[in-house]
């Protein structure tokens, strides 16, 4: 074959290959095309192999032309592959499988449980007034949970606390251990272990034998407070708890104290704040049930019998104590209507705080 013929063949090969490539619109077709022209037995490969026996001058001319064709076909191949890839992406996007404008998936962030948050807030309020936070045992002796708090056996006041007893019987056939029904026993532990002045705050879990409903749980948190010193009066109690109410529920809160009975305080009081939802108006308010007031805790002056019980001189020392339900404070503050939500572990609830 003459050089001219060879060059013409190459030209025809190039034209045919590019035409074929244009007609190859799938990944498979393009691959077939590559094999047909540039594979080991491909048409162009054979032309290149056929250069070997040519005279050097001829080989130079035909070789250069063949290499040009090869480069052109390679370029065409790359272009066809790109076009197929972007067409596929486009199709996927149109089917909605990839929306590159969507924001990334958020990594879920943990947060503090609402009970933990309210406990910290309550503690912070009293710490700012000089109280120290202490914790105590959840399994308690009858002695501390009741006796030392002026709640003797067979006294009707015991009915105020439905108790979960620990299955342990002593020599007298009594069950002396229980899951503490309140945090008040820590008043006794604290006084037994320290001398006045005392200002402690006790957050902790309590347990009661309760039928569960929207406002009762068999497991809940209380925060207890105790201040004992020379010359402590009811005015100190009122001032301290008033400040607490304002820190937690707003600077314009009013407070109301009414007589109540708890065996370990004398006099005892129930403290209420004016309703922050209806501003004390009452009428039709769900938060205060139309009364304009919300009870938030029990309090009182430490009963002299309790002080004497731990060996304090009640003519020298006086004190006040208070106790509140932590979930109840959170329910009021955040408008939660069912105490059972605190333990349901429902992220739709927990994620709101
Ligand atoms: N321990 C009481 C209860 O569980 C609450 C309480 C009332 C605590 C009056 C006090 C107090 O310290 O002074 O119902």
């Amino acid at each position: 074959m003459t050089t001219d013929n060879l060059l013409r063949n190459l030209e025809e090969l190039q034209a045919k290959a590019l035409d074929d490539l244009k007609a190859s619109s799938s990944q498979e077709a393009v691959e077939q095309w590559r094999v047909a022209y540039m594979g080991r037995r491909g048409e162009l490969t054979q032309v290149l192999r056929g250069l070997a026996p040519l005279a050097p001058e001829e080989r130079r001319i035909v070789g250069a032309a063949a290499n040009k064709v090869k480069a052109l076909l390679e370029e065409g191949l790359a272009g066809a592959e790109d076009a197929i890839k972007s067409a596929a992406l486009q199709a996927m996007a149109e089917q909605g499988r990839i929306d590159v404008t969507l924001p990334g998936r958020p990594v879920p962030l943990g947060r503090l449980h609402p009970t933990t948050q309210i406990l910290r807030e309550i503690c912070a309020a009293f710490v700012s007034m000089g109280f120290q936070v202490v914790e105590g045992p959840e399994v308690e002796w009858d002695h501390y949970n009741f006796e030392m708090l002026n709640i003797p056996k067979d006294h009707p006041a015991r009915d105020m606390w439905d108790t979960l007893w620990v299955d342990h019987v002593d020599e007298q056939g009594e069950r002396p251990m229980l899951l503490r029904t309140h945090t008040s026993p820590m008043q006794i532990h604290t006084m037994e272990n320290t001398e006045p002045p005392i200002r402690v705050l006790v957050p902790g879990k309590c347990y009661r034998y309760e039928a569960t409903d929207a406002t009762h749980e068999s497991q809940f948190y209380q925060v207890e407070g105790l201040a004992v010193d020379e010359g402590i009066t009811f005015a100190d109690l009122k001032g301290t708890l008033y400040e607490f109410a304002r820190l937690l529920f707003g600077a314009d809160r009013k407070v109301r104290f009414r007589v109540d009975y708890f065996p370990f305080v004398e006099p005892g009081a129930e403290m209420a704040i004016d309703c922050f939802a209806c501003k004390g108006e009452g009428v039709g308010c769900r938060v205060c049930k139309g009364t304009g007031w919300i009870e938030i805790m029990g309090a009182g002056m430490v009963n002299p019998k309790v002080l004497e019980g731990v060996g304090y001189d009640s003519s020298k020392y006086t004190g006040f104590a208070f106790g509140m339900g932590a979930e109840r404070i959170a329910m009021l503050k955040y408008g939660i209507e069912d105490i059972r939500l605190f333990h349901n572990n429902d992220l739709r609830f927990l994620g709101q705080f």
Side-chain angles (χ1 to χ4, degrees):
M1 241 197 270
T2 64
T3 307
D4 280 353
N5 279 343
L6 282 170
L7 289 178
R8 200 169 317 113
N9 280 354
L10 264 175
E11 246 168 63
E12 277 164 17
L13 176 63
Q14 175 183 318
K16 185 159 75 88
L18 291 180
D19 273 355
D20 275 1
L21 187 58
K22 235 179 256 162
S24 311
S25 56
S26 70
Q27 184 105 44
E28 295 77 39
V30 169
E31 177 57 13
Q32 270 170 23
W33 177 92
R34 190 192 64 76
V35 173
Y37 290 98
M38 317 195 15
R40 277 208 290 160
R41 284 195 204 99
E43 288 186 41
L44 180 65
T45 316
Q46 277 174 19
V47 172
L48 290 168
R49 279 206 195 113
L51 297 177
L54 298 181
E57 182 56 13
E58 219 178 3
R59 191 161 62 215
R60 204 180 51 76
I61 297 170
V62 182
N67 278 330
K68 241 185 236 155
V69 174
K70 188 180 175 207
L72 218 87
L73 295 195
E74 273 170 353
E75 200 180 298
L77 176 66
E81 280 173 341
D82 279 355
I84 284 166
K85 260 186 221 150
S86 44
L89 276 175
Q90 183 68 28
M92 250 200 240
E94 270 156 25
Q95 282 171 27
R97 266 200 276 169
I98 292 179
D99 179 350
V100 293
T101 66
L102 277 179
R105 293 204 183 131
V107 180
L109 269 188
R111 64 183 78 208
L112 293 177
H113 191 280
T115 309
T116 309
Q117 291 187 34
I118 201 75
L119 285 171
R120 290 195 181 176
E121 217 177 308
I122 295 168
C123 289
F126 285 101
V127 165
S128 77
M129 292 185 268
F131 282 74
Q132 185 184 351
V133 177
V134 296
E135 288 181 290
E138 290 170 27
V139 179
E140 215 12 303
W141 299 101
D142 179 318
H143 179 76
Y144 288 100
N145 195 84
F146 293 128
E147 293 289 323
M148 295 291 280
L149 289 165
N150 193 32
I151 315 167
K153 276 191 186 59
D154 306 320
H155 190 281
R158 285 219 178 185
D159 299 343
M160 290 166 75
W161 295 274
D162 297 304
T163 310
L164 287 159
W165 294 93
V166 172
D167 224 352
H168 161 78
V169 180
D170 65 13
E171 294 96 67
Q172 284 84 49
E174 310 263 3
R175 283 182 301 174
M177 262 191 220
L178 47 84
L179 297 182
R180 67 176 174 194
T181 59
H182 50 182
T183 40
S184 304
M186 272 305 284
Q187 291 188 28
I188 308 299
H189 288 297
T190 306
M191 289 191 282
E192 279 185 348
N193 293 318
T194 24
E195 289 296 313
I198 290 172
R199 278 137 184 77
V200 290
L201 199 70
V202 192
K205 240 184 236 170
C206 303
Y207 303 84
R208 287 189 201 172
Y209 183 63
E210 294 274 11
T212 300
D213 65 24
T215 52
H216 296 86
E217 262 281 24
S218 53
Q219 224 193 80
F220 55 96
Y221 281 84
Q222 280 192 346
V223 181
E224 188 85 13
L226 174 71
V228 182
D229 205 345
E230 283 180 54
I232 287 196
T233 70
F234 204 89
D236 297 309
L237 179 158
K238 286 177 91 172
T240 306
L241 297 183
Y242 185 24
E243 176 67 9
F244 164 72
R246 288 161 35 120
L247 282 171
L248 244 83
F249 292 103
D252 49 352
R253 277 302 52 78
K254 295 192 193 82
V255 293
R256 181 191 72 183
F257 290 90
R258 293 204 301 195
V259 172
D260 200 352
Y261 173 70
F262 299 97
F264 35 92
V265 283
E266 182 60 37
E270 151 233 285
M271 177 180 155
I273 54 176
D274 64 326
C275 179
F276 47 84
C278 65
K279 305 272 177 288
E281 300 277 304
V283 191
C285 178
R286 291 177 75 191
V287 177
C288 63
K289 305 209 170 67
T291 64
W293 294 95
I294 303 167
E295 286 151 26
I296 61 167
M297 67 172 102
M301 298 305 290
V302 181
N303 194 319
K305 281 193 200 163
V306 171
L307 294 173
E308 296 292 339
V310 295
Y312 283 9
D313 180 352
S314 64
S315 65
K316 185 173 173 200
Y317 294 118
T318 51
F320 66 83
F322 56 87
M324 68 190 97
E327 287 91 344
R328 176 167 167 74
I329 302 286
M331 286 167 81
L332 290 169
K333 185 156 180 172
Y334 303 129
I336 301 164
E337 290 185 349
D338 195 319
I339 195 172
R340 289 168 291 197
L341 288 166
F342 287 91
H343 288 141
N344 279 356
N345 280 343
D346 186 335
L347 289 176
R348 289 170 304 179
F349 168 72
L350 297 173
Q352 294 176 50
F353 301 94

